[in-house]
């Protein structure tokens, strides 16, 4: 079995970055004014933020089908017979289906793992898969480990309003219903239980109380110093830094990394969004 490991730009990393890891990546598409751009290739986070500030409508979609087919054809020519993919979750995108369809058309075996989110945990999972394979683990062992990582993860979003998410159709009905409530800060999340769709966790009156709710949620699900904790933001660095400090004080030994929220998510959450992604990485799994 000769395996090619494949992901997409939902990780927040470019094709060049992943090529250095021996992993293939496909850019998700961002449409602006009728033009389609490759995420992390010819449209970057600062560009997306400028469009958000200017209230320019944007749409996101899966990688170009032709580019998927071209990549898989080239992989087949190089002698690969199996595609092992960890794309952006199926609850947010149809990328997984497109990858599987392209692989089947070319007679390639396809192994696709749903990360039930995107961003850092997506990248962690594809890296773990490649490392484990190179260390001699079986496919079954790799799949079990990736599912354990995904199961440990919760991605929690605090947004100022739900208009972007409602328009994109990426909310569960319960979460979408919160959009009609006034003076409410919805706490949203996506994980294995929600099948990667954005669902409502709670509704509170202030952003401070929403952050407190998230911290209590992290404690309840067992997040500790062994977890990888990411705080992401959409052009709200100062607020994200203060949020990170609250989490550090609440969870002993917590090490937190601050990042910009990936473009294909921030387009749907809008400016000011704060997100936490917490998961137990491969090295800390028992």
């Amino acid at each position: 079995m000769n395996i090619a490991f494949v992901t997409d730009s939902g990780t927040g990393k470019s094709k060049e970055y992943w090529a250095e890891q021996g992993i293939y990546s496909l850019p998700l598409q961002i449409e602006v004014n009728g033009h389609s751009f490759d995420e992390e290739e010819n449209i970057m986070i600062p560009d997306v933020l400028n469009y958000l500030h200017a209230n320019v409508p944007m749409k996101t979609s899966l990688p170009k089908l032709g580019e998927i087919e071209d990549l898989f054809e080239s992989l087949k020519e190089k002698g690969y017979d199996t595609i092992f993919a960890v794309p952006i979750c199926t609850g947010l995108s149809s990328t997984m289906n497109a990858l599987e369809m392209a692989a089947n058309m070319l007679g390639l075996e396809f192994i696709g793992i749903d990360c039930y989110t995107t961003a850092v945990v997506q990248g962690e999972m594809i890296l773990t898969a490649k490392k484990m394979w190179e260390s001699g683990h079986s496919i079954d062992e790799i799949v079990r480990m990736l599912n354990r990582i995904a199961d440990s993860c919760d991605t929690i979003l605090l947004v100022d309003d739900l208009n972007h998410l409602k328009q994109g159709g990426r909310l569960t009905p319960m979460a979408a219903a919160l959009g009609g409530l006034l003076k409410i800060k919805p706490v949203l999340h996506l994980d294995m239980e929600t099948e990667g769709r954005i669902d409502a966790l709670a509704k509170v009156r202030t952003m401070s109380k929403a952050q407190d709710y998230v911290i209590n949620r992290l404690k309840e699900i067992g997040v500790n110093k062994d977890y990888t904790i990411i705080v992401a933001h959409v052009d709200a660095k100062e607020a994200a830094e203060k949020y990170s400090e609250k989490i550090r004080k609440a969870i002993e030994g917590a090490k937190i990394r601050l990042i910009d929220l990936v473009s294909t998510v921030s387009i749907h959450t809008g400016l000011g969004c704060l997100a936490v992604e917490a998961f137990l990485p491969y090295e800390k799994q028992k």
Side-chain angles (χ1 to χ4, degrees):
M1 182 181 285
N2 195 7
I3 299 179
F5 293 88
V6 178
T7 188
D8 60 46
S9 60
T11 60
K13 304 292 186 181
S14 66
K15 288 194 290 186
E16 182 180 8
Y17 170 88
W18 284 115
E20 292 173 357
Q21 320 302 318
I23 292 169
Y24 299 90
S25 181
L26 290 153
L28 297 165
Q29 299 299 293
I30 296 175
E31 184 181 315
V32 187
N33 294 326
H35 298 283
S36 191
F37 298 92
D38 295 339
E39 183 187 27
E40 291 299 324
E41 303 302 325
N42 55 15
I43 188 168
M44 313 302 284
I45 287 173
D47 303 315
V48 170
L49 293 178
N50 287 337
Y51 287 129
L52 285 172
H53 278 288
N55 292 314
V56 176
M58 289 178 280
K59 296 179 181 178
T60 60
S61 61
L62 69 163
K64 295 172 184 173
L65 297 178
E67 189 164 348
I68 297 173
E69 292 168 2
D70 289 346
L71 173 62
F72 286 8
E73 283 178 1
S74 71
L75 293 175
K76 187 174 182 178
E77 289 172 1
K78 291 176 182 177
Y80 290 104
D81 55 37
T82 303
I83 303 294
F84 192 110
V86 183
I88 187 172
C89 65
T90 57
L92 296 178
S93 172
S94 56
T95 299
M96 180 82 80
N97 290 338
L99 298 179
E100 184 171 13
M101 181 179 68
N104 290 340
M105 285 175 57
L106 291 166
L108 295 166
E109 184 176 349
F110 182 79
I111 303 166
I113 306 298
D114 200 331
C115 62
Y116 299 100
T117 183
T118 187
V120 177
V121 76
Q122 180 186 343
E124 168 77 12
M125 287 171 63
I126 194 66
L127 274 173
T128 295
K130 187 170 186 291
K131 288 177 184 176
M132 290 183 70
W133 179 250
E134 292 174 344
S135 298
H137 291 273
S138 69
I139 291 296
D140 286 345
E141 288 173 326
I142 296 169
V143 170
R144 282 197 296 271
M145 176 53 67
L146 297 194
N147 282 329
R148 285 173 63 181
I149 294 171
D151 190 37
S152 74
C153 181
D154 203 1
T155 302
I156 310 173
L157 307 169
L158 303 179
V159 297
D160 279 340
D161 67 70
L162 295 177
N163 287 331
H164 293 279
L165 285 165
K166 285 178 69 179
Q167 290 168 8
R170 284 167 171 81
L171 295 173
T172 64
M174 181 184 296
L178 289 175
L181 300 176
L182 299 176
K183 299 179 181 178
I184 290 293
K185 296 296 181 186
V187 181
L188 309 172
H189 79 134
L190 60 159
D191 61 7
M192 187 177 282
E193 186 177 327
T194 72
E195 298 181 342
R197 294 192 68 197
I198 299 173
D199 200 2
L201 267 177
K203 50 185 185 293
V204 294
R205 292 290 179 183
T206 67
M207 184 60 76
S208 178
K209 288 182 180 179
Q211 292 180 6
D212 292 340
Y213 180 94
V214 173
I215 290 169
N216 288 331
R217 162 82 177 181
L218 294 175
K219 289 180 176 180
E220 286 172 4
I221 63 177
V223 173
N224 57 35
K225 61 181 178 59
D226 291 332
Y227 275 66
T228 294
I229 304 174
I230 308 296
V231 171
H233 66 94
V234 184
D235 206 20
K237 186 176 181 181
E238 184 177 344
E241 288 172 343
K242 291 178 180 177
Y243 191 17
S244 298
E245 189 57 33
K246 286 178 74 170
I247 297 171
R248 284 193 192 94
K249 289 179 179 178
I251 300 176
E252 185 178 356
K255 298 178 182 64
I256 300 166
R257 181 150 56 100
L258 196 69
I259 66 169
D260 291 298
L261 190 60
V262 296
S263 295
T264 43
V265 178
S266 65
I267 285 169
H268 297 289
T269 63
L271 293 165
C273 175
L274 297 175
V276 172
E277 187 168 74
F279 63 94
L280 198 60
Y282 171 48
E283 292 80 6
K284 300 295 184 179
Q285 292 277 352
K286 304 293 185 192

